[in-house]
Amino acid sequence: MAFDGLFTYSMTTDLQQLVTGRITKIHQPNAQEVVLQIRANGGNHKLLFSIHPSYARVHLTEQTIENPSEPPMFCMLLRKHIEGGFISSIKQHDLDRIIIVEIQSKNEIGDPIVRELHAEIMGRHSNLLLIDKEQTKIIDSLKHLSPSMNSFRTILPGQPYIAPPAQNKWQPLTVTDEQLTVFFNEPKTAKEVVSQFVGFSPLHAEELLFRLASTANKVICFRDFMAAFRDGGTEPMYVFANNKTYFSPIALTHLQGEKTVYPNLHELLDRVFFARAERDRVKQQAGDLERWLQNEIDKLSLKIKKLTKDYERASKLDQFQLFGELLMANIYAFEKGVKEVTVTNYYSESAEEITIPVSERKTPIENAQSYYTKYTKAKNALIMVQEQLEKTKEEITYFEMLAQQVQQASPGDIEEIREELAEQGYLKLRHAKKKKKQLKPEPERYISSTGTPISVGKNNKQNDMLTFKIAKRTDTWLHTKDIPGSHVVIHATEPDETTLREAATLAAYFSKARDSSSVPVDYTEIRQVKKPNGAKPGFVIYFEQKTLFIDPEETVILQLKKQS
């Protein structure tokens, strides 16, 4: 990861296309993200601000981010001050991780006002502030910092705006040739570069040193390196190397791994944060549901262990029956008062002698009868335990399927999962402030690269709706083989091979096997898919299926989503 000052430098250049654009809508999907919809240069754009401690960033996005039914207070404040305003400039503060968006707007009585959005992209200290430029005062921010939390700068409404403390480092854009020559006269480490120059992360420091190592003129190499960031990046790149993800506006030549080049920075960041950011949005909304599901799975797993022990004990019923039969056959061979009886086992081919424990307080007939009673109880227990085991295993499978759906859900899918658990009697629904009209489950829509519509159910309500209400009998149905996952439907009779494989990729990606390779995906016609009587939501049986083996690829999912 490297959303450092150099990346911010490139991003600021990339965002110049929004200057003179008008802010038409403002949304705040959650406590850490704000999205501005901007009309600029004849097109509509979505500008995302995120202050997530791990995924803080600013960029244009093509992803659809669901919004809450009621906008938060900060969102309402932004609408009041800057909605309808025009972006007059977008600039970076001192090559630091701060982007300032200046907006010309109007107040309630129509007088012109100037507001600034300051996006501070600084890990866990990230923040988004709305500033009154004329008075240099904070109107509000996503995160507040009291004097007790930060003695240098207070981030509260009405307080004077103070920029983050300046770094006592060289500016890479204004450093002199002489300074560069002296500094790089001796070999340097990435840590020394980061300590000396503003804007460098270890990743870009390593890349610079790698390039410097193969050139004689280090000053020209440094200048060329900085120039590569100036125009929005020369080669926006995503690299997977050493089991880690890296990204940069320029080519990362020092890394050996799988590299993908993107046409611009916002497509690169959509790729990098596509699954991570969505997962985090869901975690904010469904953390309690995840914990509840895991707790239920743990309790049921413990129940399985106890039932298995009970089953093993009950499985001794054959021995109880044998002891009863042998005691009856030797009823006159022993008397009351003994603790054990040794008899010949007539039911064994070798006719060996076995010793049977008996109660000295019971008569021979009572001892035999006691073993018959144990046999009957064990036989009945075995049936009951077997039923309980099967029921418990089914519940574990059900909860594991729901846990997988929660992990891969979009925020809008979570409420449907809660509703399903309430309908099944497992949970009570939270009391909503306003009773909303019940909406039909809406599966996600995709378009294959050959233009064929594909639908994906992201939870059991959507799966049942898609498979048994929306799809036609001749449509193609797909699901991972023996792995919890989504129902996927190709809305076409006899789809082409490309569409079939892309739909199978969706089925593999939206399953528990997302991070696996060569995932088996079954496909058949909808008419071959049946729901057994009394089955839980999402459970089906199917026939006459064929199987594809697929490697789930996030890039394919992004492309299909982009086309939809």
Side-chain angles (χ1 to χ4, degrees):
M1 298 294 181
F3 206 117
D4 56 10
L6 297 182
F7 197 105
T8 308
Y9 179 41
S10 291
M11 180 57 70
T12 306
T13 306
D14 185 65
L15 294 178
Q16 294 308 307
Q17 60 186 296
L18 300 179
V19 174
T20 72
R22 181 174 178 267
I23 299 172
T24 57
K25 290 181 182 178
I26 301 173
H27 297 289
Q28 186 180 344
N30 52 61
Q32 298 174 329
E33 292 178 320
V34 168
V35 178
L36 305 185
Q37 291 196 28
I38 301 164
R39 180 73 180 175
N41 298 316
N44 294 315
H45 309 271
K46 286 186 290 187
L47 180 59
L48 170 68
F49 297 88
S50 172
I51 65 165
H52 188 281
S54 301
Y55 313 137
R57 63 201 189 279
V58 178
H59 67 100
L60 294 172
T61 181
E62 295 181 7
Q63 299 303 317
T64 301
I65 305 173
E66 295 183 23
N67 300 303
S69 54
E70 295 184 12
M73 289 299 295
F74 186 71
C75 178
M76 295 294 287
L77 186 80
L78 290 179
R79 289 176 180 178
K80 175 185 174 182
H81 285 270
I82 64 174
E83 193 169 76
F86 291 86
I87 296 174
S88 53
S89 70
I90 298 176
K91 56 190 177 183
Q92 181 182 17
H93 176 72
D94 291 340
L95 208 71
D96 206 347
R97 292 167 294 169
I98 301 173
I99 293 179
I100 301 171
V101 181
E102 184 179 284
I103 301 146
Q104 304 283 342
S105 189
K106 291 183 179 181
N107 60 18
E108 294 93 333
I109 59 174
D111 292 335
I113 56 173
V114 181
R115 298 290 183 257
E116 288 182 341
L117 271 179
H118 288 227
E120 300 177 353
I121 309 152
M122 300 178 176
R124 62 190 180 92
H125 301 296
S126 298
N127 206 347
L128 181 65
L129 303 91
L130 179 65
I131 308 294
D132 182 332
K133 186 180 180 182
E134 294 174 1
Q135 299 185 34
T136 62
K137 281 189 177 181
I138 300 169
I139 298 172
D140 207 348
S141 60
L142 275 178
K143 284 198 301 195
H144 292 171
L145 291 175
S146 65
S148 62
M149 297 169 70
N150 191 321
S151 58
F152 180 80
R153 60 197 298 243
T154 300
I155 309 295
L156 288 172
Q159 292 294 315
Y161 173 73
I162 300 172
Q167 301 179 59
N168 188 23
K169 297 180 181 181
W170 289 352
Q171 281 286 343
L173 299 176
T174 58
V175 64
T176 66
D177 291 355
E178 184 181 354
Q179 287 174 312
L180 289 172
T181 302
V182 171
F183 181 75
F184 289 112
N185 189 42
E186 295 179 0
K188 299 295 180 182
T189 64
K191 187 176 181 180
E192 289 173 312
V193 173
V194 171
S195 299
Q196 191 67 36
F197 295 96
V198 174
F200 274 82
S201 64
L203 175 69
H204 286 135
E206 291 282 2
E207 179 61 28
L208 172 64
L209 293 175
F210 183 80
R211 297 186 184 196
L212 289 173
S214 58
T215 184
N217 195 325
K218 291 180 170 48
V219 172
I220 292 178
C221 182
F222 184 90
R223 300 292 185 205
D224 290 344
F225 182 78
M226 291 304 302
F229 290 91
R230 183 176 56 227
D231 299 323
T234 53
E235 202 171 349
M237 180 175 288
Y238 173 94
V239 183
F240 185 75
N242 308 317
N243 291 320
K244 291 183 180 179
T245 298
Y246 304 89
F247 62 90
S248 173
I250 66 171
L252 296 173
T253 56
H254 74 284
L255 290 175
Q256 299 299 317
E258 183 184 342
K259 299 179 180 180
T260 309
V261 177
Y262 289 83
N264 50 56
L265 292 183
H266 59 268
E267 286 190 38
L268 167 66
L269 293 186
D270 268 348
R271 166 66 181 89
V272 172
F273 294 106
F274 169 60
R276 293 185 187 89
E278 186 80 339
R279 176 76 193 111
D280 188 77
R281 293 183 195 110
V282 172
K283 204 167 186 68
Q284 289 182 50
Q285 186 179 338
D288 62 322
L289 184 57
E290 279 191 298
R291 288 189 295 273
W292 184 87
L293 285 168
Q294 189 55 54
N295 188 46
E296 290 301 304
I297 291 169
D298 291 342
K299 285 195 293 188
L300 290 169
S301 298
L302 186 62
K303 186 177 179 181
I304 286 280
K305 289 181 181 178
K306 291 179 178 177
L307 286 171
T308 302
K309 288 182 180 177
D310 291 343
Y311 187 83
E312 289 171 355
R313 283 196 294 268
S315 297
K316 295 179 180 178
L317 58 89
D318 290 338
Q319 188 182 52
F320 295 147
Q321 184 182 28
L322 175 65
F323 285 179
E325 296 285 353
L326 291 175
L327 288 178
M328 285 300 294
N330 294 275
I331 200 73
Y332 301 109
F334 69 102
E335 296 178 354
K336 183 178 179 180
V338 297
K339 294 182 178 181
E340 57 184 33
V341 178
T342 301
V343 297
T344 302
N345 184 4
Y346 303 110
Y347 298 96
S348 172
E349 291 182 2
S350 55
E352 74 277 5
E353 300 240 320
I354 61 172
T355 299
I356 303 173
V358 294
S359 172
E360 54 189 328
R361 296 179 181 177
K362 295 179 180 179
T363 64
I365 291 178
E366 288 173 337
N367 272 302
Q369 198 63 45
S370 175
Y371 275 113
Y372 284 134
T373 302
K374 286 181 181 179
Y375 166 74
T376 303
K377 285 182 179 179
K379 187 177 180 180
N380 293 334
L382 200 61
I383 296 169
M384 291 177 62
V385 170
Q386 183 65 38
E387 289 175 354
Q388 285 292 311
L389 270 171
E390 289 175 4
K391 184 180 177 183
T392 306
K393 287 176 181 176
E394 284 177 5
E395 284 198 307
I396 287 178
T397 301
Y398 177 60
F399 286 134
E400 284 179 342
M401 177 172 64
L402 289 178
Q404 172 264 322
Q405 289 175 358
V406 169
Q407 288 181 355
Q408 298 179 1
S410 62
D413 301 328
I414 297 300
E415 198 56 39
E416 290 177 349
I417 295 174
R418 292 187 193 276
E419 287 173 8
E420 179 187 329
L421 283 166
E423 289 166 4
Q424 295 294 311
Y426 292 110
L427 278 181
K428 286 186 178 179
L429 280 179
R430 297 169 171 175
H431 294 291
K433 291 181 182 178
K434 293 181 182 178
K435 196 169 184 179
K436 293 189 293 184
K437 185 180 177 182
Q438 192 84 1
L439 298 175
K440 286 184 179 180
E442 194 66 42
E444 281 196 1
R445 307 284 184 177
Y446 295 84
I447 302 290
S448 77
S449 54
T450 58
T452 306
I454 304 171
S455 295
V456 179
K458 298 292 291 299
N459 56 52
N460 289 332
K461 279 180 169 286
Q462 292 180 18
N463 286 336
D464 284 349
M465 175 65 72
L466 173 60
T467 302
F468 300 110
K469 299 286 178 67
I470 296 174
K472 296 178 182 177
R473 285 174 58 79
T474 54
D475 287 347
T476 301
W477 184 88
L478 303 93
H479 194 281
T480 42
K481 183 180 179 66
D482 301 326
I483 300 169
S486 294
H487 293 199
V488 176
V489 171
I490 303 170
H491 298 285
T493 305
E494 298 182 1
D496 59 88
E497 183 68 22
T498 300
T499 298
L500 188 61
R501 293 198 69 84
E502 287 175 347
T505 302
L506 284 165
Y509 185 80
F510 292 110
S511 78
K512 198 173 182 180
R514 172 180 289 190
D515 299 320
S516 305
S517 59
S518 196
V519 178
V521 177
D522 288 341
Y523 67 96
T524 187
E525 285 191 336
I526 284 287
R527 60 180 147 206
Q528 301 296 342
V529 184
K530 311 294 180 187
K531 190 172 190 67
N533 290 334
K536 288 187 181 293
F539 278 95
V540 296
I541 54 175
Y542 54 92
F543 313 93
E544 297 188 19
Q545 69 273 18
K546 297 178 182 177
T547 306
L548 289 171
F549 290 88
I550 295 292
D551 293 335
E553 294 181 38
E554 203 168 79
T555 49
V556 175
I557 308 303
L558 267 170
Q559 188 60 36
L560 295 175
K561 197 173 184 73
K562 188 177 176 182
Q563 290 168 185
S564 62

